């Protein structure tokens, strides 16, 4: 079980990781990176799926269904948009090649 | 059951791929591969989560077939809709689309919390219960707030909604929502009646709307970034409730990265995050400006183009007006003509140009402008004094010298692009209006500034034609 301090350790290390990744990014990549991190929290779809599979009442099923729908939208939309943006970044060296 | 082992291993792999992918996304050279690495992580995690069907609670076993079918349908609809809408959306409309997808993630996190809270039969312990409620609160605010941000950026809601006492009302509203949430945790110990839990979510959603409505369109980048961080936190918290480390790690990485990004953006506007959210920007200080001397000098677009063609160094400062006019392709066409004539052309990007930080870079990249002639403000500000020509296209407040000199100006202290240091400045502008801040721009009245009035795309077409006919005549 990930209770108490183990959970806090995970949160703490993850928080530093996020800080380090963004801290050194040139601002030209801020938009794709915001969009990319938006995609990463689309992992929430996995949690929503878990909640839906364990649903025991119609209320839970309806909410779970909405949750999976929204989470899938977050993940898929975030991916497509970020990939499209990053495809466009080219340096002038590559263009000549 | 071994299914749990496979699930755990897959989530570990996913967490690694997310972090490695984000890391690769932080350099322009490897960025495109970074998103694919992260995408692979998502694929692994989602596929592995299908193995949950072997591990459901005893109570849920009779419902498994229905639940699994619902899950597959929901996945298909969400994925299909987002995939097609994401492929279709124009690059200029990208910020609102990111806001929308982000809100969906917040909604999904709130939904996980709601399923937990409506399961009154379950035995709740206090720590996960409080975390569930906080995660739900943040997720729901992120959902409704992002939808408002989307509607504002998409032009579906115009104007700013403000009245005296608004902040007071919002504050009261938030306290009430939080108090209800805490009552569900500590008072009812997770067995609150359905109407109470439902009103908690309703209040949280309404608060998200109230909080976003008073914020102006130009501040939306900061707000979207803030909600992105919110969704990350909500996902991390709900991940703890579900005992899912992949959600915890991914959520918290995004939560902290998003918070830092929000701070960086607010700093670039010389404002604090609370100032963006709570202050009535532009409502004060606009009347105390001194009279500006001089007059605006309109010039013909063709003449301006020819003048630029014969200069030796040009720096271009684009703003959101360029995006609105969809003129980035024409701009690069003109830049290429100048480059062929031997002119050194550079782009200068203000940190808050466009509707998201780096939005201008994306739009220029879309037009094919190589990223190594695009410079950040700090890197190029010293070069303006060596430039023959500075071209301002669709930008206003980010080039207003009043930010340096006029203490009574609402934008005083904001770092700006030093376009006024160039020998000559051309401002391409639709009309004589003021910028978002409502401040008159003394740059437009300066001796070395020429105004080219018109839609940016039409102006650039005229400039291109003028330069082409000139070179064709030789």
């Amino acid at each position: 079980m990930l209770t108490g301090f183990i959970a806090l350790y995970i949160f703490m290390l993850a928080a530093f990781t996020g800080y380090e990744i963004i801290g050194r990014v040139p601002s030209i990549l801020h938009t794709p990176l915001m969009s990319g991190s938006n995609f990463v929290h689309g992992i929430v779809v996995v949690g929503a799926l878990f909640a839906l599979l364990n649903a025991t009442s119609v209320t839970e099923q309806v909410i779970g269904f909405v949750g999976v729908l929204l989470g899938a939208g977050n993940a898929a939309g975030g991916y497509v948009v970020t990939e499209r943006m990053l495809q466009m970044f080219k340096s002038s060296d590559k263009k000549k090649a | 059951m071994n299914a749990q082992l496979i699930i755990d291993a897959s989530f570990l792999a996913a967490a690694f791929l997310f972090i490695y992918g984000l890391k690769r996304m932080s350099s322009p050279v490897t960025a495109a591969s970074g998103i694919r690495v992260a995408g692979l992580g998502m694929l692994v995690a989602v596929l592995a989560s299908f193995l949950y069907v072997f591990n459901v609670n005893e109570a849920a076993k009779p419902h498994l077939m229905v639940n699994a079918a619902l899950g597959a349908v929901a996945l298909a609809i969400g994925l299909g809709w987002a995939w097609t809408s994401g492929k279709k959306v124009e690059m200029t409309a990208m910020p609102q689309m990111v806001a929308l997808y982000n809100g969906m993630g917040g909604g999904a996190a709130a939904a996980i919390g709601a399923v937990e809270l409506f399961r009154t039969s379950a035995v709740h312990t206090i720590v996960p219960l409080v975390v569930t409620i906080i995660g739900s609160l943040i997720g729901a605010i992120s959902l409704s707030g992002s939808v408002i941000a989307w509607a504002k950026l998409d032009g579906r809601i115009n104007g700013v909604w403000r009245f005296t006492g608004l902040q007071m009302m919002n504050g009261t509203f938030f306290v009430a929502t939080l108090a209800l949430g805490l009552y569900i945790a500590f008072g009812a110990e997770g067995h609150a009646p359905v109407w109470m839990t439902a009103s908690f979510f309703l209040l949280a959603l309404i608060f998200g709307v109230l909080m976003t409505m008073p914020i102006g369109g130009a501040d939306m980048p900061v707000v979207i970034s803030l909600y992105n961080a919110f969704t990350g936190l909500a996902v991390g918290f709900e991940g703890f409730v579900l005992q899912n480390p992949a959600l915890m790690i991914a959520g918290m990485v995004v939560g902290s990265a998003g918070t830092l990004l929000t701070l960086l953006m607010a700093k670039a506007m010389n404002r604090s995050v609370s100032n963006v959210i709570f202050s009535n920007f532009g409502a004060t200080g606009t009347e105390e400006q001194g009279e500006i001397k001089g007059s605006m000098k309109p010039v013909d677009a063709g003449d301006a183009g020819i003048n630029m063609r014969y200069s030796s160094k040009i720096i271009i400062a684009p703003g959101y007006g360029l995006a609105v006019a969809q003129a980035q392709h024409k701009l690069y066409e003109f830049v290429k003509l100048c480059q062929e004539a031997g002119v050194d052309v550079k782009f200068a990007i203000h940190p808050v140009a466009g509707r998201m930080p780096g939005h201008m870079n994306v739009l220029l990249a879309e037009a094919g402008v190589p990223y190594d002639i695009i410079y950040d403000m700090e890197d190029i500000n010293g070069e303006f004094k060596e430039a023959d020509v500075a071209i301002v296209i669709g930008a206003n407040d980010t080039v207003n010298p009043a930010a340096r000199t006029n203490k009574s100006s609402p934008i005083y202290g904001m770092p700006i692009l030093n376009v006024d240091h160039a020998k000559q400045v051309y401002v391409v502008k639709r009309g004589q209006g003021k910028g978002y801040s409502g401040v008159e721009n003394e740059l437009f009245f300066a001796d070395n500034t020429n105004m080219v009035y018109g839609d940016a795309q039409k102006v650039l077409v005229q400039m291109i034609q003028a330069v082409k006919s000139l070179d064709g005549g030789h």
Side-chain angles (χ1 to χ4, degrees):
Chain A
M1 285 289 277
L2 299 164
T3 49
F5 279 99
I6 305 289
L8 288 176
Y9 277 117
I10 292 180
F11 279 147
M12 181 186 75
L13 293 173
F16 273 110
T17 307
Y19 186 90
E20 281 300 308
I21 290 173
I22 291 272
R24 295 188 208 134
V25 168
S27 64
I28 68 157
L29 281 172
H30 276 171
T31 286
L33 208 72
M34 180 149 88
S35 172
S37 60
N38 173 47
F39 158 70
V40 164
H41 66 52
I43 184 72
V44 70
V45 68
V46 168
L49 207 54
F50 180 80
L52 174 59
L53 288 175
N54 284 294
T56 50
S57 69
V58 176
T59 317
E60 288 170 37
Q61 283 172 330
V62 170
I63 300 170
F65 181 83
V66 173
V68 174
L69 187 81
L70 294 176
N74 182 187
Y79 181 83
V80 174
V81 164
T82 312
E83 215 230 354
R84 274 185 58 194
M85 269 191 255
L86 289 175
Q87 281 294 321
M88 294 168 185
F89 282 86
K90 294 182 191 85
S91 81
S92 44
D93 297 342
K94 268 189 201 159
K95 289 197 88 176
K96 281 168 200 155
Chain B
M1 179 78 78
N2 275 340
Q4 191 59 45
L5 188 68
I6 300 173
I7 293 174
D8 287 341
S10 308
F11 286 169
L12 178 68
F16 167 77
L17 291 168
F18 284 154
I19 294 173
Y20 183 60
L22 278 175
K23 182 74 207 155
R24 288 187 74 83
M25 265 187 255
S26 62
S27 153
V29 185
T30 54
S33 70
I35 182 65
R36 291 198 198 97
V37 171
L40 181 67
M42 188 68 76
L43 195 65
V44 168
V46 172
L47 289 178
S49 66
F50 281 109
L51 294 173
Y52 278 143
V53 294
F54 297 112
N55 275 19
V56 295
N57 292 332
E58 276 308 317
K61 283 217 169 120
H63 306 281
L64 189 56
M65 287 308 291
V66 179
N67 289 351
L70 284 173
V73 172
L75 268 182
I77 298 175
L79 203 125
W81 173 79
W83 198 271
T84 44
S85 64
K87 286 273 181 213
K88 270 200 314 229
V89 61
E90 291 283 338
M91 278 297 147
T92 40
M94 205 56 102
Q96 51 263 47
M97 219 55 208
V98 172
L100 200 57
Y101 295 140
N102 174 58
M104 294 175 82
I112 295 174
V115 170
E116 288 294 315
L117 292 174
F118 280 119
R119 187 181 292 147
T120 45
S121 57
V123 183
H124 293 287
T125 43
I126 195 69
V127 174
L129 194 56
V130 172
V131 175
T132 308
I133 284 167
I134 295 175
S136 304
L137 179 62
I138 300 174
I141 292 173
S142 178
L143 168 62
S144 59
S146 295
V147 170
I148 298 296
W150 165 78
K152 285 201 165 201
L153 286 175
D154 217 40
R156 282 159 208 263
I157 299 179
N158 289 312
V160 181
W161 192 66
R162 280 178 191 140
F163 51 86
T164 42
L166 177 73
Q167 300 303 346
M168 198 67 162
M169 188 185 87
N170 284 1
T172 318
F173 214 89
F174 178 72
V175 171
T177 313
L178 191 67
L180 185 58
L182 291 178
Y183 177 77
I184 293 170
F186 290 100
E189 290 175 348
H191 300 282
V194 171
W195 67 264
M196 195 184 278
T197 314
S199 3
F200 167 68
F201 280 98
L202 194 63
L203 285 176
L205 287 172
I206 296 173
F207 178 72
V209 174
L210 290 177
M211 178 176 157
T212 322
M213 283 305 284
I215 304 172
D219 284 332
M220 279 305 144
V222 182
V223 176
I224 295 174
S225 176
L226 184 72
Y227 286 144
N228 186 37
F230 271 21
T231 302
L233 280 181
V235 171
F237 286 159
E238 300 303 342
F240 169 73
V241 176
L242 297 177
Q243 293 288 302
N244 184 328
L247 260 70
M248 291 168 72
I249 293 172
M252 200 49 76
V253 165
V254 175
S256 85
T259 306
L260 180 63
L261 197 55
T262 311
L263 293 172
L264 287 176
M265 287 159 65
K267 199 174 143 207
M269 300 166 85
N270 195 42
R271 298 166 66 196
S272 69
V273 175
S274 65
N275 184 269
V276 169
I277 294 168
F278 299 117
S279 86
N280 295 349
F281 188 54
T284 52
T286 44
E287 272 134 50
E288 295 120 51
Q289 295 170 63
E291 281 293 305
I292 296 171
K293 293 183 199 78
S295 59
M296 299 199 206
K297 294 169 283 296
V299 295
D300 176 67
D303 294 348
I306 289 167
N307 210 339
M308 292 169 199
R309 150 80 174 74
Y310 282 107
S311 66
S312 61
K313 180 166 180 161
I314 299 177
I315 300 178
I316 302 172
Y320 191 63
L322 178 77
V324 172
Q326 296 276 2
Q328 61 269 32
H329 297 277
K330 288 287 167 217
L331 177 61
Y332 188 44
E333 199 180 328
F334 178 72
V335 166
K336 278 190 285 195
L337 280 176
C338 290
Q339 283 175 329
E340 278 159 24
V343 185
D344 176 21
V345 186
K346 287 176 177 173
F347 286 87
I349 310 287
H350 191 275
V352 294
R355 283 294 180 267
M356 276 207 287
H359 188 202
M360 276 301 134
N361 304 82
V362 173
L363 293 175
L364 293 175
E366 185 196 15
V369 180
Y371 62 75
D372 39 14
I373 64 167
I374 303 174
Y375 293 84
D376 286 351
M377 182 177 68
E378 313 86 85
D379 299 330
I380 200 157
N381 248 352
E383 277 190 47
F384 276 104
K385 55 182 181 295
E386 295 150 24
D388 299 307
V389 176
I391 313 173
V392 177
I393 301 182
N396 192 340
D397 292 333
T398 55
V399 295
N400 190 345
R404 280 199 300 256
T405 53
N406 185 353
K407 283 197 178 140
S408 65
S409 169
I411 59 168
Y412 177 72
M414 180 173 92
I416 56 157
L417 291 167
N418 297 329
V419 288
D420 54 326
H421 291 178
K423 292 190 187 81
Q424 241 187 340
V425 182
Y426 286 94
V427 178
V428 179
K429 209 169 170 303
R430 238 189 334 212
Q432 305 196 342
K434 295 168 183 173
Y436 165 70
S437 65
V439 184
E440 198 70 77
N441 195 336
E442 60 191 78
L443 172 75
F444 302 162
F445 299 88
D447 289 339
N448 61 341
T449 302
N450 297 295
M451 306 297 290
V452 186
Y453 289 117
D455 173 76
Q457 183 148 335
K458 289 194 187 115
V459 166
L460 283 160
V461 169
Q462 286 170 25
M463 282 161 63
I464 291 165
Q465 279 165 353
V467 172
K468 271 189 179 158
S469 64
L470 185 77
D471 289 345
H474 278 272

